[in-house]
Amino acid sequence: MAGSEGAYEPEAGPGRDTGSDAGFGEGTGRRARSRTRSSGSPSSSRAEKGEPRDPVEQARNICLRLLTGTPRTRKQLADALRKREIPDEAAEEVLSRFEDVGLIDDAAFADAWVESRHHGRGLARRALVRELRTKGVDSAVIDEAVGQLDSEQEEATARELVARKLRSTRGLDRDKRLRRLAGMLARKGYGEGMALRVVRQALEEEGEDTEGLDEPF
C-alpha cells in the first residue's frame, strides 16, 4: 500500500507559497504583493491557494480526503467528483486506479457494512440490501455480503431485539404490544412471518394468551 500512497500524494502546484519571501526587505514584500493582486487571473488565484489545476490531481485529492477514516463505495466517490464538476474522464481514471490499488473495494465495504449494521443495529437482510443499494453497491456484491447471515442468525437477533423491547410494553393490551413489537422488527427489515412468530413466543413466555395471533398483523 505504501507504493499506492506515494502515487497519489498531491504535488505542489505552481505558485504554491513556499515561504521564499522570508528574509526579503519590507519594500520588496509589498511590491510582490502588489503584483500578485494586480494580476487578478483565476488561474493565479487558484495557484496561490495551492489548488491543483490538473483535474486528475483534483480528483485524487478529493477522493483521498473523503476516504480518510471512512470507507466509501465507488459510486459515493463518483457522485462527489461529479458534484465538484470533475470531468468524467478524469474521475474514471482516478476511481479505476484507486480500485486497482485497493483504496476502493465495494465487496469489503459491503461485508463490513453487513457485520456492523446487523450486530450493531440488529438490521435484517432486507434492510441491509436496501441500504447497500442506496450506496451504489452492485447487486451481486450485495447478495454475497448478506449471504453471510443465515435465517437462524437473523431469527436469533430478532429474539434479542424483542427481549430488550418487551419490558417497555408491559401494561399495554396484548394487541397493542403485538403491533409495537412487530412494527419494530418490520422497520429493521424482518419479514412478517418471522416477526409474528418471534413476538408470539415472547408473549407466551410472559403468560399472554396468544390465541388468534397467527393472523397477519
Coordinates of all heavy atoms in Angstrom, one line a residue, residues 115-214:
E115 N -21.8 -6.7 8.7 CA -21.3 -7.0 10.0 C -21.7 -6.0 11.0 O -22.2 -6.3 12.1 CB -19.8 -7.3 10.0 CG -19.2 -7.6 11.3 CD -19.5 -9.0 11.8 OE1 -20.0 -9.8 11.0 OE2 -19.3 -9.3 13.0
S116 N -21.4 -4.7 10.7 CA -21.6 -3.6 11.6 C -23.1 -3.4 11.9 O -23.6 -3.2 13.0 CB -21.0 -2.4 11.1 OG -21.3 -1.2 11.9
R117 N -23.9 -3.3 10.8 CA -25.3 -2.9 10.9 C -26.2 -4.0 11.5 O -27.2 -3.8 12.1 CB -25.8 -2.4 9.6 CG -25.1 -1.2 9.0 CD -25.4 0.0 9.7 NE -26.7 0.5 9.3 CZ -27.3 1.6 9.8 NH1 -26.7 2.3 10.8 NH2 -28.5 2.1 9.4
H118 N -25.8 -5.3 11.2 CA -26.6 -6.4 11.8 C -26.3 -6.5 13.3 O -27.2 -6.5 14.1 CB -26.3 -7.7 11.1 CG -27.0 -8.8 11.7 ND1 -28.4 -9.0 11.5 CD2 -26.6 -9.9 12.5 CE1 -28.8 -10.1 12.2 NE2 -27.7 -10.6 12.8
H119 N -25.0 -6.5 13.7 CA -24.7 -6.7 15.1 C -24.9 -5.4 15.9 O -25.2 -5.5 17.1 CB -23.3 -7.2 15.2 CG -23.1 -8.6 14.7 ND1 -23.6 -9.7 15.3 CD2 -22.5 -9.1 13.6 CE1 -23.3 -10.8 14.6 NE2 -22.6 -10.4 13.5
G120 N -24.7 -4.3 15.3 CA -24.8 -3.0 16.0 C -26.3 -2.5 16.1 O -26.7 -2.0 17.1
R121 N -27.0 -2.7 15.0 CA -28.4 -2.1 14.9 C -29.4 -3.2 14.8 O -30.6 -2.9 14.9 CB -28.5 -1.2 13.7 CG -27.6 0.1 13.8 CD -28.2 1.1 14.8 NE -29.5 1.4 14.5 CZ -29.9 2.3 13.6 NH1 -29.0 3.0 12.9 NH2 -31.2 2.6 13.4
G122 N -29.0 -4.4 14.6 CA -30.0 -5.5 14.5 C -30.8 -5.6 13.2 O -31.8 -6.1 13.1
L123 N -30.2 -5.0 12.2 CA -30.9 -4.9 10.9 C -30.9 -6.3 10.2 O -29.9 -7.0 10.2 CB -30.3 -3.9 9.9 CG -30.3 -2.5 10.4 CD1 -29.7 -1.6 9.3 CD2 -31.6 -2.0 10.8
A124 N -32.1 -6.6 9.6 CA -32.2 -7.9 8.9 C -31.7 -7.7 7.5 O -31.4 -6.7 7.0 CB -33.7 -8.3 8.9
R125 N -31.6 -8.9 6.8 CA -31.1 -8.9 5.4 C -31.8 -7.9 4.5 O -31.2 -7.2 3.7 CB -31.1 -10.3 4.8 CG -30.1 -11.2 5.4 CD -30.2 -12.6 4.9 NE -31.4 -13.3 5.5 CZ -31.7 -14.6 5.4 NH1 -30.9 -15.4 4.7 NH2 -32.8 -15.1 6.0
R126 N -33.1 -7.8 4.6 CA -33.9 -7.0 3.7 C -33.5 -5.5 3.9 O -33.3 -4.8 2.9 CB -35.4 -7.1 4.0 CG -36.3 -6.3 3.1 CD -37.8 -6.5 3.5 NE -38.2 -7.9 3.5 CZ -39.4 -8.3 4.0 NH1 -40.3 -7.4 4.4 NH2 -39.7 -9.5 3.9
A127 N -33.3 -5.1 5.1 CA -32.9 -3.7 5.3 C -31.5 -3.4 4.9 O -31.2 -2.4 4.4 CB -33.1 -3.3 6.8
L128 N -30.6 -4.4 5.1 CA -29.2 -4.3 4.7 C -29.1 -4.2 3.2 O -28.3 -3.4 2.6 CB -28.4 -5.5 5.2 CG -28.3 -5.6 6.7 CD1 -27.7 -6.9 7.1 CD2 -27.4 -4.4 7.2
V129 N -29.9 -5.0 2.4 CA -29.9 -4.9 1.0 C -30.3 -3.5 0.5 O -29.7 -2.9 -0.3 CB -30.9 -5.9 0.4 CG1 -31.1 -5.7 -1.1 CG2 -30.3 -7.3 0.6
R130 N -31.4 -3.0 1.2 CA -31.9 -1.6 0.8 C -30.8 -0.6 1.0 O -30.6 0.3 0.2 CB -33.1 -1.3 1.6 CG -33.8 -0.1 1.2 CD -35.2 0.0 1.8 NE -35.2 -0.2 3.3 CZ -35.7 -1.2 3.9 NH1 -36.3 -2.2 3.3 NH2 -35.7 -1.2 5.3
E131 N -30.1 -0.6 2.1 CA -29.1 0.4 2.4 C -27.9 0.3 1.5 O -27.4 1.3 1.0 CB -28.6 0.2 3.9 CG -29.6 0.6 4.9 CD -29.0 0.6 6.3 OE1 -28.0 -0.1 6.5 OE2 -29.6 1.2 7.2
L132 N -27.5 -0.9 1.2 CA -26.3 -1.1 0.3 C -26.7 -0.6 -1.2 O -25.8 -0.1 -1.9 CB -25.8 -2.5 0.3 CG -25.1 -2.9 1.6 CD1 -24.9 -4.4 1.6 CD2 -23.8 -2.2 1.7
R133 N -27.9 -0.8 -1.6 CA -28.3 -0.4 -2.9 C -28.2 1.2 -3.0 O -27.8 1.7 -4.0 CB -29.7 -0.8 -3.2 CG -29.8 -2.3 -3.6 CD -31.3 -2.7 -3.8 NE -31.4 -4.1 -4.3 CZ -32.5 -4.8 -4.3 NH1 -33.6 -4.2 -3.8 NH2 -32.5 -6.0 -4.7
T134 N -28.6 1.8 -1.9 CA -28.6 3.3 -1.9 C -27.2 3.8 -2.0 O -26.9 4.9 -2.4 CB -29.3 3.9 -0.7 OG1 -28.5 3.6 0.5 CG2 -30.7 3.4 -0.5
K135 N -26.2 3.0 -1.6 CA -24.8 3.4 -1.7 C -24.1 2.9 -3.0 O -22.9 3.1 -3.2 CB -24.1 2.8 -0.5 CG -24.6 3.4 0.8 CD -23.8 2.9 2.0 CE -24.4 3.6 3.3 NZ -24.3 5.1 3.2
G136 N -24.9 2.4 -3.9 CA -24.4 2.1 -5.2 C -23.7 0.8 -5.3 O -23.0 0.5 -6.3
V137 N -23.8 -0.1 -4.4 CA -23.1 -1.4 -4.4 C -23.9 -2.3 -5.4 O -25.1 -2.4 -5.5 CB -23.1 -2.1 -3.0 CG1 -22.4 -3.4 -3.1 CG2 -22.4 -1.2 -2.1
D138 N -23.1 -3.1 -6.2 CA -23.6 -4.0 -7.2 C -24.5 -5.1 -6.6 O -24.2 -5.5 -5.5 CB -22.5 -4.6 -8.0 CG -23.0 -5.5 -9.1 OD1 -23.4 -5.0 -10.2 OD2 -22.9 -6.7 -9.0
S139 N -25.5 -5.5 -7.3 CA -26.5 -6.5 -6.7 C -25.8 -7.8 -6.4 O -26.0 -8.4 -5.3 CB -27.6 -6.7 -7.7 OG -28.4 -5.6 -7.9
A140 N -24.9 -8.2 -7.2 CA -24.2 -9.5 -7.0 C -23.3 -9.4 -5.7 O -23.2 -10.3 -4.9 CB -23.3 -9.9 -8.2
V141 N -22.7 -8.2 -5.5 CA -21.8 -8.0 -4.3 C -22.7 -8.0 -3.1 O -22.4 -8.5 -2.0 CB -21.0 -6.7 -4.5 CG1 -20.3 -6.4 -3.2 CG2 -20.1 -6.8 -5.7
I142 N -23.9 -7.3 -3.2 CA -24.8 -7.3 -2.1 C -25.3 -8.7 -1.7 O -25.3 -9.0 -0.5 CB -26.0 -6.4 -2.4 CG1 -25.6 -4.9 -2.6 CG2 -27.1 -6.5 -1.3 CD1 -26.7 -4.0 -3.0
D143 N -25.6 -9.5 -2.7 CA -26.1 -10.8 -2.4 C -25.1 -11.6 -1.6 O -25.4 -12.4 -0.7 CB -26.5 -11.5 -3.7 CG -27.8 -10.9 -4.3 OD1 -28.5 -10.2 -3.6 OD2 -28.0 -11.2 -5.5
E144 N -23.8 -11.5 -2.1 CA -22.8 -12.2 -1.4 C -22.5 -11.7 0.0 O -22.3 -12.5 0.9 CB -21.5 -12.1 -2.2 CG -20.3 -13.0 -1.7 CD -19.1 -13.0 -2.6 OE1 -19.3 -12.5 -3.8 OE2 -18.1 -13.4 -2.2
A145 N -22.6 -10.4 0.2 CA -22.4 -9.9 1.6 C -23.5 -10.3 2.5 O -23.2 -10.7 3.7 CB -22.3 -8.4 1.5
V146 N -24.8 -10.2 2.1 CA -25.9 -10.5 3.0 C -26.0 -12.0 3.2 O -26.7 -12.5 4.1 CB -27.2 -9.9 2.6 CG1 -27.1 -8.4 2.6 CG2 -27.7 -10.4 1.3
G147 N -25.4 -12.8 2.3 CA -25.4 -14.2 2.4 C -24.7 -14.7 3.6 O -24.9 -15.9 4.0
Q148 N -23.9 -13.9 4.3 CA -23.2 -14.4 5.5 C -24.2 -14.4 6.6 O -23.9 -15.0 7.7 CB -22.1 -13.4 5.8 CG -22.5 -12.0 6.1 CD -21.3 -11.1 6.3 OE1 -20.7 -11.0 7.4 NE2 -21.0 -10.3 5.3
L149 N -25.4 -13.9 6.5 CA -26.4 -14.0 7.5 C -27.4 -15.1 7.1 O -28.1 -15.0 6.1 CB -27.2 -12.7 7.7 CG -26.4 -11.5 8.2 CD1 -27.4 -10.3 8.2 CD2 -25.9 -11.7 9.6
D150 N -27.5 -16.1 7.9 CA -28.5 -17.2 7.6 C -29.7 -16.9 8.4 O -29.8 -16.0 9.3 CB -27.9 -18.6 7.9 CG -27.5 -18.8 9.4 OD1 -28.0 -18.1 10.3 OD2 -26.5 -19.5 9.6
S151 N -30.8 -17.7 8.2 CA -32.1 -17.5 8.8 C -32.0 -17.7 10.3 O -32.7 -16.9 11.1 CB -33.1 -18.4 8.2 OG -33.3 -18.1 6.8
E152 N -31.2 -18.6 10.7 CA -31.1 -18.9 12.2 C -30.5 -17.7 12.9 O -31.0 -17.3 14.0 CB -30.3 -20.1 12.4 CG -31.0 -21.4 12.0 CD -30.2 -22.6 12.3 OE1 -29.1 -22.5 12.9 OE2 -30.6 -23.8 12.0
Q153 N -29.5 -17.1 12.4 CA -28.8 -16.0 13.0 C -29.7 -14.8 13.0 O -29.8 -14.0 13.9 CB -27.5 -15.7 12.3 CG -26.7 -14.5 12.9 CD -25.4 -14.3 12.2 OE1 -25.0 -15.0 11.3 NE2 -24.7 -13.3 12.7
E154 N -30.5 -14.6 11.9 CA -31.4 -13.5 11.8 C -32.5 -13.6 12.8 O -32.9 -12.6 13.5 CB -32.0 -13.5 10.3 CG -32.6 -12.1 9.9 CD -33.0 -12.1 8.5 OE1 -33.6 -13.1 8.0 OE2 -32.7 -11.1 7.8
E155 N -33.0 -14.8 13.0 CA -34.1 -15.0 14.0 C -33.6 -14.8 15.4 O -34.3 -14.3 16.2 CB -34.7 -16.4 13.8 CG -35.9 -16.6 14.7 CD -36.8 -17.8 14.3 OE1 -36.8 -18.1 13.1 OE2 -37.5 -18.3 15.2
A156 N -32.4 -15.3 15.7 CA -31.8 -15.1 17.0 C -31.6 -13.6 17.3 O -31.9 -13.2 18.4 CB -30.4 -15.8 17.1
T157 N -31.3 -12.8 16.3 CA -31.1 -11.4 16.5 C -32.5 -10.8 16.8 O -32.7 -9.9 17.6 CB -30.5 -10.7 15.3 OG1 -29.2 -11.3 15.1 CG2 -30.3 -9.2 15.5
A158 N -33.5 -11.2 16.0 CA -34.9 -10.7 16.2 C -35.4 -11.0 17.6 O -36.0 -10.2 18.3 CB -35.8 -11.4 15.2
R159 N -35.0 -12.2 18.2 CA -35.4 -12.5 19.5 C -34.8 -11.6 20.6 O -35.4 -11.2 21.5 CB -35.1 -14.0 19.9 CG -35.9 -15.0 19.1 CD -35.6 -16.4 19.5 NE -36.2 -17.3 18.6 CZ -37.5 -17.7 18.6 NH1 -38.3 -17.1 19.4 NH2 -37.9 -18.5 17.7
E160 N -33.5 -11.3 20.3 CA -32.8 -10.4 21.2 C -33.4 -9.0 21.2 O -33.6 -8.3 22.2 CB -31.3 -10.3 20.8 CG -30.5 -11.6 21.0 CD -29.1 -11.5 20.5 OE1 -28.7 -10.4 20.0 OE2 -28.4 -12.5 20.5
L161 N -33.8 -8.5 20.0 CA -34.4 -7.2 19.9 C -35.7 -7.2 20.7 O -36.0 -6.2 21.4 CB -34.7 -6.9 18.4 CG -33.4 -6.6 17.6 CD1 -33.8 -6.6 16.1 CD2 -32.7 -5.3 18.0
V162 N -36.6 -8.2 20.5 CA -37.9 -8.3 21.2 C -37.7 -8.4 22.7 O -38.4 -7.7 23.4 CB -38.7 -9.5 20.7 CG1 -39.9 -9.7 21.5 CG2 -39.1 -9.2 19.2
A163 N -36.7 -9.1 23.1 CA -36.5 -9.3 24.6 C -36.1 -8.0 25.2 O -36.5 -7.6 26.3 CB -35.4 -10.3 24.8
R164 N -35.3 -7.1 24.5 CA -34.9 -5.8 25.0 C -36.1 -4.8 25.1 O -36.2 -4.0 25.9 CB -33.8 -5.2 24.2 CG -32.5 -6.0 24.4 CD -31.3 -5.1 24.0 NE -31.3 -4.7 22.6 CZ -30.7 -5.4 21.6 NH1 -29.9 -6.4 21.9 NH2 -30.7 -5.0 20.4
K165 N -37.0 -5.0 24.1 CA -38.1 -4.1 24.0 C -39.3 -4.5 24.8 O -40.2 -3.7 25.1 CB -38.5 -4.0 22.5 CG -39.6 -3.0 22.2 CD -39.1 -1.5 22.2 CE -40.1 -0.6 21.6 NZ -39.6 0.8 21.7
L166 N -39.4 -5.8 25.2 CA -40.6 -6.3 25.8 C -41.0 -5.6 27.1 O -42.2 -5.3 27.3 CB -40.3 -7.8 26.1 CG -41.6 -8.7 26.3 CD1 -42.5 -8.7 25.1 CD2 -41.1 -10.1 26.7
R167 N -40.0 -5.3 27.9 CA -40.3 -4.7 29.2 C -41.1 -3.4 29.0 O -42.0 -3.1 29.8 CB -39.1 -4.5 30.0 CG -39.3 -3.9 31.4 CD -38.0 -3.8 32.2 NE -37.5 -5.1 32.5 CZ -36.3 -5.2 33.2 NH1 -35.6 -4.2 33.6 NH2 -35.9 -6.5 33.4
S168 N -40.7 -2.6 28.1 CA -41.3 -1.3 27.9 C -42.8 -1.4 27.4 O -43.5 -0.4 27.4 CB -40.5 -0.5 26.9 OG -40.6 -1.0 25.6
T169 N -43.2 -2.6 27.0 CA -44.6 -2.7 26.5 C -45.5 -3.3 27.6 O -46.7 -3.4 27.4 CB -44.7 -3.7 25.3 OG1 -44.3 -5.0 25.7 CG2 -43.7 -3.2 24.2
R170 N -45.0 -3.7 28.7 CA -45.8 -4.2 29.8 C -46.8 -3.2 30.3 O -46.5 -2.0 30.4 CB -44.9 -4.7 31.0 CG -44.1 -6.0 30.6 CD -43.1 -6.3 31.7 NE -42.3 -7.5 31.3 CZ -41.2 -7.8 31.8 NH1 -40.7 -7.1 32.8 NH2 -40.5 -8.9 31.3
G171 N -48.0 -3.6 30.5 CA -49.1 -2.7 30.9 C -50.0 -2.4 29.7 O -51.1 -1.9 29.9
L172 N -49.5 -2.6 28.5 CA -50.4 -2.4 27.3 C -51.2 -3.6 27.1 O -50.8 -4.7 27.5 CB -49.5 -2.1 26.1 CG -48.6 -0.9 26.2 CD1 -47.7 -0.8 25.0 CD2 -49.4 0.4 26.4
D173 N -52.3 -3.5 26.3 CA -53.1 -4.7 26.0 C -52.3 -5.5 25.0 O -51.4 -5.0 24.3 CB -54.5 -4.3 25.5 CG -54.4 -3.5 24.2 OD1 -54.0 -4.1 23.2 OD2 -54.9 -2.4 24.2
R174 N -52.7 -6.7 24.8 CA -51.9 -7.7 24.0 C -51.8 -7.2 22.6 O -50.7 -7.3 22.0 CB -52.7 -9.1 24.0 CG -51.9 -10.2 23.3 CD -52.8 -11.3 23.0 NE -53.8 -11.0 22.0 CZ -54.7 -11.8 21.5 NH1 -54.7 -13.1 21.9 NH2 -55.5 -11.4 20.5
D175 N -52.9 -6.8 22.0 CA -52.8 -6.4 20.5 C -51.8 -5.2 20.3 O -51.1 -5.1 19.3 CB -54.2 -6.1 20.0 CG -55.0 -7.3 19.9 OD1 -54.5 -8.4 19.9 OD2 -56.2 -7.2 19.7
K176 N -51.9 -4.3 21.3 CA -51.0 -3.1 21.2 C -49.5 -3.5 21.3 O -48.7 -3.0 20.6 CB -51.4 -2.1 22.2 CG -50.7 -0.7 22.0 CD -51.3 0.4 22.9 CE -52.7 0.7 22.5 NZ -53.3 1.8 23.3
R177 N -49.3 -4.4 22.3 CA -47.9 -4.9 22.4 C -47.5 -5.6 21.1 O -46.3 -5.4 20.7 CB -47.9 -5.9 23.6 CG -48.2 -5.4 24.9 CD -48.0 -6.4 26.0 NE -46.6 -6.6 26.4 CZ -46.1 -7.5 27.2 NH1 -46.9 -8.4 27.7 NH2 -44.8 -7.5 27.5
L178 N -48.4 -6.4 20.6 CA -48.0 -7.1 19.3 C -47.7 -6.1 18.2 O -46.6 -6.3 17.5 CB -49.2 -8.0 18.8 CG -49.1 -8.6 17.5 CD1 -48.0 -9.6 17.4 CD2 -50.4 -9.1 17.0
R179 N -48.5 -5.1 18.0 CA -48.2 -4.1 17.0 C -46.9 -3.4 17.2 O -46.2 -3.1 16.3 CB -49.4 -3.1 16.9 CG -50.7 -3.7 16.3 CD -51.6 -2.6 15.9 NE -52.1 -1.9 17.0 CZ -53.1 -2.2 17.8 NH1 -53.8 -3.3 17.5 NH2 -53.4 -1.4 18.8
R180 N -46.6 -3.0 18.4 CA -45.4 -2.3 18.7 C -44.2 -3.1 18.5 O -43.2 -2.6 17.9 CB -45.5 -1.8 20.2 CG -44.3 -0.9 20.6 CD -44.6 -0.1 21.8 NE -45.7 0.8 21.7 CZ -46.1 1.7 22.7 NH1 -45.4 1.7 23.8 NH2 -47.1 2.5 22.5
L181 N -44.2 -4.3 19.0 CA -43.0 -5.2 18.9 C -42.8 -5.6 17.4 O -41.7 -5.6 16.9 CB -43.2 -6.4 19.8 CG -43.1 -6.1 21.3 CD1 -43.6 -7.4 22.1 CD2 -41.8 -5.7 21.7
A182 N -43.9 -6.0 16.8 CA -43.8 -6.5 15.4 C -43.4 -5.3 14.5 O -42.7 -5.4 13.5 CB -45.1 -7.1 14.9
G183 N -43.9 -4.1 14.8 CA -43.6 -2.9 14.0 C -42.1 -2.6 14.1 O -41.5 -2.2 13.1
M184 N -41.6 -2.8 15.3 CA -40.1 -2.5 15.5 C -39.3 -3.5 14.6 O -38.4 -3.0 14.0 CB -39.8 -2.7 17.0 CG -38.3 -2.6 17.3 SD -37.4 -4.2 17.3 CE -38.2 -5.0 18.6
L185 N -39.7 -4.7 14.6 CA -39.0 -5.7 13.7 C -39.2 -5.4 12.3 O -38.2 -5.5 11.5 CB -39.5 -7.1 14.0 CG -39.1 -7.7 15.4 CD1 -39.7 -9.1 15.6 CD2 -37.6 -7.7 15.6
A186 N -40.3 -5.0 11.9 CA -40.6 -4.7 10.5 C -39.7 -3.5 10.0 O -39.2 -3.5 8.9 CB -42.1 -4.3 10.2
R187 N -39.6 -2.5 10.8 CA -38.7 -1.4 10.5 C -37.3 -1.7 10.3 O -36.5 -1.1 9.6 CB -38.8 -0.2 11.5 CG -40.2 0.5 11.5 CD -40.2 1.7 12.4 NE -40.0 1.4 13.8 CZ -41.0 1.1 14.6 NH1 -42.2 1.0 14.2 NH2 -40.7 0.8 15.9
K188 N -36.9 -2.8 10.9 CA -35.5 -3.3 10.8 C -35.3 -4.3 9.7 O -34.3 -4.9 9.6 CB -35.0 -3.8 12.2 CG -34.8 -2.8 13.2 CD -34.3 -3.3 14.5 CE -34.1 -2.2 15.6 NZ -33.0 -1.3 15.2
G189 N -36.4 -4.6 9.0 CA -36.3 -5.4 7.8 C -36.7 -6.9 8.0 O -36.5 -7.7 7.1
Y190 N -37.3 -7.2 9.1 CA -37.7 -8.6 9.3 C -39.0 -8.9 8.7 O -40.0 -8.0 8.7 CB -37.8 -8.9 10.8 CG -36.4 -8.9 11.5 CD1 -35.9 -7.7 12.0 CD2 -35.6 -10.0 11.5 CE1 -34.6 -7.7 12.6 CE2 -34.4 -10.0 12.1 CZ -33.9 -8.8 12.6 OH -32.6 -8.8 13.2
G191 N -39.2 -10.1 8.1 CA -40.4 -10.4 7.4 C -41.6 -10.6 8.4 O -41.4 -10.9 9.6
E192 N -42.8 -10.6 7.8 CA -44.0 -10.7 8.7 C -44.1 -12.0 9.4 O -44.4 -12.0 10.6 CB -45.2 -10.5 7.8 CG -46.5 -10.5 8.5 CD -47.7 -10.2 7.6 OE1 -47.9 -9.0 7.2 OE2 -48.3 -11.2 7.2
G193 N -43.8 -13.1 8.7 CA -43.9 -14.4 9.3 C -42.9 -14.6 10.5 O -43.3 -15.0 11.6
M194 N -41.7 -14.2 10.3 CA -40.7 -14.3 11.4 C -41.1 -13.4 12.5 O -41.0 -13.8 13.7 CB -39.3 -14.0 10.9 CG -38.2 -14.1 12.0 SD -36.6 -13.6 11.4 CE -36.2 -15.0 10.3
A195 N -41.4 -12.2 12.2 CA -41.8 -11.2 13.3 C -42.9 -11.7 14.1 O -42.9 -11.6 15.4 CB -42.1 -9.8 12.7
L196 N -44.0 -12.2 13.5 CA -45.1 -12.7 14.2 C -44.7 -13.9 15.1 O -45.1 -14.0 16.3 CB -46.2 -13.1 13.3 CG -47.5 -13.7 13.9 CD1 -48.1 -12.7 14.8 CD2 -48.5 -14.0 12.8
R197 N -43.9 -14.8 14.6 CA -43.5 -16.0 15.3 C -42.7 -15.6 16.6 O -42.9 -16.1 17.7 CB -42.8 -16.9 14.4 CG -42.3 -18.2 15.1 CD -41.7 -19.2 14.2 NE -40.5 -18.7 13.5 CZ -40.4 -18.3 12.3 NH1 -41.5 -18.2 11.5 NH2 -39.2 -17.9 11.8
V198 N -41.8 -14.7 16.4 CA -40.9 -14.3 17.5 C -41.7 -13.5 18.6 O -41.5 -13.8 19.8 CB -39.7 -13.4 16.9 CG1 -39.0 -12.8 18.1 CG2 -38.8 -14.3 16.1
V199 N -42.5 -12.6 18.1 CA -43.3 -11.9 19.1 C -44.3 -12.8 19.9 O -44.4 -12.7 21.1 CB -44.1 -10.7 18.4 CG1 -45.0 -10.0 19.4 CG2 -43.1 -9.7 17.8
R200 N -44.9 -13.7 19.2 CA -45.9 -14.6 19.8 C -45.2 -15.4 20.9 O -45.7 -15.5 22.0 CB -46.5 -15.5 18.8 CG -47.5 -16.5 19.4 CD -48.2 -17.3 18.4 NE -49.1 -18.3 19.0 CZ -50.0 -19.0 18.4 NH1 -50.1 -18.9 17.1 NH2 -50.7 -19.9 19.1
Q201 N -44.0 -16.0 20.6 CA -43.3 -16.8 21.5 C -42.9 -16.0 22.7 O -42.9 -16.4 23.9 CB -42.1 -17.4 20.9 CG -42.5 -18.5 19.9 CD -41.3 -19.0 19.1 OE1 -40.2 -18.5 19.2 NE2 -41.5 -20.1 18.3
A202 N -42.5 -14.7 22.5 CA -42.0 -13.9 23.6 C -43.2 -13.5 24.5 O -43.1 -13.5 25.8 CB -41.4 -12.6 23.1
L203 N -44.4 -13.3 23.9 CA -45.6 -13.0 24.7 C -46.0 -14.2 25.5 O -46.5 -14.1 26.7 CB -46.7 -12.5 23.9 CG -46.5 -11.1 23.2 CD1 -47.6 -10.7 22.3 CD2 -46.3 -10.0 24.3
E204 N -45.9 -15.4 24.9 CA -46.3 -16.6 25.6 C -45.5 -16.9 26.8 O -45.9 -17.3 27.8 CB -46.2 -17.8 24.6 CG -47.3 -17.9 23.6 CD -47.2 -19.0 22.6 OE1 -46.0 -19.6 22.6 OE2 -48.1 -19.3 21.9
E205 N -44.2 -16.6 26.7 CA -43.3 -16.8 27.8 C -43.6 -15.9 29.0 O -43.2 -16.1 30.1 CB -41.8 -16.5 27.3 CG -41.3 -17.6 26.4 CD -40.0 -17.3 25.8 OE1 -39.4 -16.2 26.1 OE2 -39.4 -18.1 25.0
E206 N -44.3 -14.8 28.7 CA -44.8 -13.9 29.7 C -46.2 -14.2 30.2 O -46.7 -13.5 31.1 CB -44.7 -12.4 29.3 CG -43.3 -11.8 29.2 CD -43.4 -10.3 29.3 OE1 -44.4 -9.7 29.1 OE2 -42.3 -9.8 29.7
G207 N -46.7 -15.3 29.7 CA -48.1 -15.7 30.1 C -49.2 -15.1 29.4 O -50.4 -15.3 29.8
E208 N -48.9 -14.4 28.3 CA -50.0 -13.8 27.5 C -50.8 -14.9 26.7 O -50.2 -15.9 26.3 CB -49.4 -12.8 26.5 CG -49.0 -11.5 27.1 CD -50.2 -10.5 27.2 OE1 -51.3 -10.9 27.0 OE2 -49.9 -9.3 27.4
D209 N -52.0 -14.7 26.6 CA -52.9 -15.6 25.7 C -52.6 -15.1 24.3 O -53.0 -14.0 23.9 CB -54.3 -15.5 26.1 CG -55.2 -16.3 25.2 OD1 -54.7 -17.2 24.5 OD2 -56.5 -16.1 25.3
T210 N -52.1 -16.0 23.5 CA -51.7 -15.7 22.1 C -52.7 -16.3 21.1 O -52.4 -16.3 19.9 CB -50.3 -16.1 21.7 OG1 -50.2 -17.5 21.9 CG2 -49.3 -15.4 22.6
E211 N -53.8 -16.7 21.5 CA -54.8 -17.3 20.6 C -55.2 -16.2 19.6 O -55.6 -15.1 20.0 CB -56.0 -17.8 21.4 CG -57.0 -18.5 20.5 CD -58.2 -19.1 21.3 OE1 -58.2 -19.0 22.5 OE2 -59.2 -19.6 20.6
G212 N -55.2 -16.6 18.3 CA -55.6 -15.7 17.3 C -54.5 -14.8 16.7 O -54.7 -14.0 15.8
L213 N -53.3 -15.0 17.3 CA -52.2 -14.2 16.8 C -51.5 -14.8 15.6 O -50.4 -14.3 15.2 CB -51.2 -14.0 17.9 CG -51.6 -13.1 19.1 CD1 -50.5 -12.8 20.0 CD2 -52.1 -11.7 18.5
D214 N -52.1 -15.8 15.0 CA -51.5 -16.4 13.8 C -51.9 -15.6 12.6 O -51.3 -15.8 11.5 CB -52.0 -17.8 13.6 CG -51.4 -18.8 14.6 OD1 -50.2 -18.5 15.0 OD2 -52.0 -19.7 15.1

